[in-house]
Amino acid sequence: MLDILTALQYGELTGLRGKSPMEAPYTIAEERIICQLHTLEPKAAEAFQKEIQVLALEQRDAAFHTGVRFGAQLMAQLLDEF
């Protein structure tokens, strides 16, 4: 268990975080964003898409770490009760 938590902390289990944002298969929200990007000039659309990806990755990683912390706290609490 400690090995898994250590790997999570140091980013070694990145496959558990899911697909990268703005890559197929697209979510409904991603499809809407892509449609909006197609209305922009190609260089601006590419730059904006990269910024969206960075923001989405930051949010995804923060949510992932919150879930890991919650799970670890829950497990610790359950083990204390036994």
Side-chain angles (χ1 to χ4, degrees):
M1 176 66 178
L2 185 58
D3 292 341
I4 293 171
L5 292 176
T6 302
L8 288 171
Q9 181 179 359
Y10 291 103
E12 296 170 4
L13 296 179
T14 56
L16 297 177
R17 294 181 176 156
K19 75 173 195 73
S20 293
M22 304 296 289
E23 289 185 5
Y26 301 116
T27 65
I28 293 171
E30 288 171 336
E31 285 183 19
R32 288 193 315 245
I33 290 169
I34 289 170
C35 287
Q36 292 294 321
L37 288 173
H38 287 304
T39 65
L40 301 174
E41 172 187 316
K43 284 186 179 180
E46 183 180 343
F48 196 43
Q49 182 172 348
K50 287 179 183 178
E51 293 298 322
I52 291 169
Q53 286 176 310
V54 168
L55 176 63
L57 285 171
E58 288 174 355
Q59 295 297 314
R60 181 191 72 178
D61 289 349
F64 180 78
H65 285 107
T66 298
V68 168
R69 282 191 300 272
F70 175 77
Q73 290 170 346
L74 178 61
M75 183 173 287
Q77 184 177 351
L78 290 172
L79 290 174
D80 281 346
E81 292 178 6
F82 288 106

